Amino acid sequence: MAAMFSSDSDCGRADSEANSKWLDAHYDPMANIHTFSSCLALADLHGDGEYKLVVGDLGPGGRQPHLKVLKGPTVLTEIPLPALPAAAATFLMEQHEPRTPALALASGPCVYIYKNLRPYFKYSLPELPPNPLEQDLWNQAKEDQIDPLTLKEMLEGIREKAEIPLSLQSLRFLQLELNEMEAFVNQHKFKAIKRQTVITTMTTLKKNLADEDAVSCLVVGTENKELLVLDPEAVTILAKMSLPSVPVFLEVSGQFDVEFRLAAACRNGNIYILRRDCKRPKYCIELSAQPVGLVRVHKILVVGSTQESLHGFTHKGKKLWTVQMPAAILTMNLLEQHSRSLQAVMAGLANGEVRIYRDKALLNVIRTPDAVTSLCFGRYGREDNTLIMTTRGGGLIIKILKRTAVFVEGTGEVGPPLAQAMKLTVPRKTQLYVDQTLREREAGIAMHRTFQADLYRLRLRAARAYVQTLESSLSPMSATSREPVKLHAVVQGLGPTFKLTVHLQNTSTARPVLGLLICFLYDEILYSLPRAFFKVPFLVPGLSYPLETFVQSLSSKGISDIIKVLVLREGQSIPLLSAHINMPVVAV
């Protein structure tokens, strides 16, 4: 493999640690490859044991998209694409011999499938129903009932308010100048309105076997917030799942016919976990920033965010760890070394580094002449462990992992931390500890019964206290749905005059409350209130009503007492709610 690649440029900026693990096979800063990690794939496309690199190339400035197939450092095939590629994947469609994988390239609303680098099948996403208001406007334009300027104004109003987006025809019309509108309307007014979604991401899912050469299904994420699982042979929809937002990254595990998990990172900053026979997400992982990459390492989901950090989550959404990066993350992918059963995460950073992590332990750092925008690791040519990188300027870097390379976590070997091997200084057993152990052995049943009796007694006392609180209305919140009122009191001031504010809130969702009274009970020797009894206004659901009064302290000896606040219903003597306010001591 090293002899096959040209070594005309050496990348001479890699550090000594990287040189000890990687062979510089090829570097071409003028390769003119502009792509992302999702548009890279390695596969034996012709069944001859020679693995090729498949690239969905966006072209310079995203204006000339091509499908490129590389053999070694040279471009073997180049096919123009009608739209920008979203993802590339290789998969087996059938069990028949010869078992050569097919190439799937997602571009626009279509998935283009190639076999032996020849077009085999084109799958188009099903059309979506158009906006009925938009359809009605074009029907009026077809009958010349509205002019182009009115059509534009009404389409702009629909685009701003309607939940169903406009069709491509209407969006193109809104971009035109005033002198071009009439010709566009005359040309397109007799055409049917079609609304087509586009593919945002794609991956593969094993059909019924977990073998490496087993038949796989395509999993497609669309701009319409849906996930589609496509049959590998008939290329029809096997399953459809809905998401709350548009998916941008996908990770799958398991088999479609048995059990599978699907993780989708979406544009709303959340990651949704779906399982077999689930039309909606089962779990949701809420991120504090937008995701820039999603990689599954064994049973852990590793997410890169725009906050320059890597996060590890379980499939149920529990965060395990966080690692801070020295620069922004541009791309991520999986490094899997089968000979050593190693799985790690590769992260390309904006400062020109490629960092390799296993969990939160740093294994290796590769420095490149330019920032890396896409990563791919696997078998290339006849070498098993090849790292392929493309740079922001369109360069191509190929490195080969040495067969003797062993990744090291920080300063120690891969494995448990050094602190785990340190002996703990366990104190010697004292006579008191021995006597207590013997006592527990001999009287274990009696001790357990005593504990259970005390526990039941404690529960009984708590229940009695709770019932007493409900019966005497000592709680600040109503326990019945007939009087859904909440009480909260606040005392402000240093004295001798205090401001007492009582907040009343109607906790009902729809029913107002009226006919309530508030009464204050206090020691008239210590305190004086201008109004100790007044009516409560009409309580609207959900709002908090502050009711204020002033308390004058009459004692000069620094004595404080409790003021009781009672909420009553007109014509009833039993209070609905009550609160005890511990008045502060006069500080002035």
Side-chain angles (χ1 to χ4, degrees), residues 4 18 105 156 158 169 218 224 258 291 347 371 432 436 454 517 583 586:
M4 181 188 69
L105 187 81
E156 286 178 345
I158 294 175
Q169 176 178 317
L218 288 177
N224 198 38
V258 184
L432 178 62
Q436 186 68 18
D454 292 342
L517 305 171
M583 296 298 295
V586 176

Side-chain angles (χ1 to χ4, degrees), residues 47 56 72 114 118 144 147 183 198 219 262 275 304 320 345 373-374 428 454 458 476:
Y114 300 85
R118 295 180 179 178
D144 297 327
D147 58 286
V198 295
V219 182
L262 198 152
R275 302 185 67 176
L320 300 176
V345 176
T373 56
S374 68
R428 295 181 60 185
D454 292 342
L458 176 63

Side-chain angles (χ1 to χ4, degrees), residues 234-482:
V235 197
T236 55
I237 298 177
L238 292 176
K240 181 186 292 187
M241 291 160 277
S242 299
L243 292 172
S245 182
V246 179
V248 289
F249 299 106
L250 288 177
E251 276 295 334
V252 298
S253 61
Q255 299 89 47
F256 177 79
D257 291 339
V258 184
E259 181 63 40
F260 68 89
R261 279 191 179 95
L262 198 152
C266 298
R267 286 186 191 157
N268 62 355
N270 295 339
I271 299 174
Y272 299 98
I273 313 297
L274 300 100
R275 302 185 67 176
R276 177 180 167 84
D277 298 330
C278 289
K279 302 298 182 182
R280 296 277 179 181
K282 187 173 180 64
Y283 301 103
C284 174
I285 302 173
E286 295 185 0
L287 303 177
S288 57
Q290 288 292 328
V292 295
L294 179 65
V295 177
R296 182 179 61 86
V297 181
H298 298 297
K299 294 184 178 180
I300 298 176
L301 291 174
V302 182
V303 186
S305 71
T306 53
Q307 291 181 335
E308 301 180 3
S309 56
L310 284 178
H311 309 279
F313 294 92
T314 65
H315 279 284
K316 292 187 177 180
K318 180 183 178 182
K319 181 184 281 191
L320 300 176
W321 48 262
T322 299
V323 177
Q324 198 66 30
M325 298 288 109
I329 302 173
L330 300 182
T331 185
M332 293 172 57
N333 214 333
L334 177 68
L335 183 149
E336 187 169 11
Q337 189 181 7
H338 296 284
S339 59
R340 297 187 183 275
S341 300
L342 171 70
Q343 283 192 354
V345 176
M346 303 181 293
L349 308 182
N351 62 354
E353 290 184 353
V354 176
R355 294 193 161 217
I356 303 174
Y357 286 88
R358 190 172 90 167
D359 292 336
K360 60 179 180 179
L362 179 63
L363 301 182
N364 191 224
V365 179
I366 303 172
R367 291 182 173 84
T368 57
D370 193 6
V372 172
T373 56
S374 68
L375 293 164
C376 186
F377 184 88
R379 183 179 177 87
Y380 188 35
R382 297 188 182 274
E383 282 291 334
D384 287 332
N385 303 312
T386 306
L387 175 60
I388 300 169
M389 300 174 280
T390 64
T391 63
R392 183 180 287 166
L396 175 64
I397 302 173
I398 302 177
K399 291 179 177 288
I400 301 173
L401 183 65
K402 290 182 179 180
R403 291 181 175 87
T404 57
V406 177
F407 287 109
V408 177
E409 295 184 0
T411 58
E413 290 294 327
V414 175
L418 295 177
Q420 189 170 323
M422 294 175 58
K423 276 194 171 184
L424 297 176
T425 55
V426 181
R428 295 181 60 185
K429 295 179 181 179
T430 61
Q431 186 62 37
L432 178 62
Y433 171 80
V434 175
D435 294 343
Q436 186 68 18
T437 305
L438 293 175
R439 175 177 172 273
E440 290 178 359
R441 287 180 181 176
E442 295 172 357
I445 297 177
M447 293 172 65
H448 177 70
R449 288 175 178 172
T450 303
F451 170 76
Q452 290 294 329
D454 292 342
L455 180 61
Y456 290 144
R457 194 175 293 112
L458 176 63
R459 290 175 177 173
L460 179 60
R461 289 180 179 176
R464 285 176 176 171
Y466 180 65
V467 171
Q468 184 180 0
T469 301
L470 295 180
E471 291 178 349
S472 58
S473 300
L474 295 177
S475 173
M477 183 177 290
S478 177
T480 63
S481 58
R482 295 179 57 189

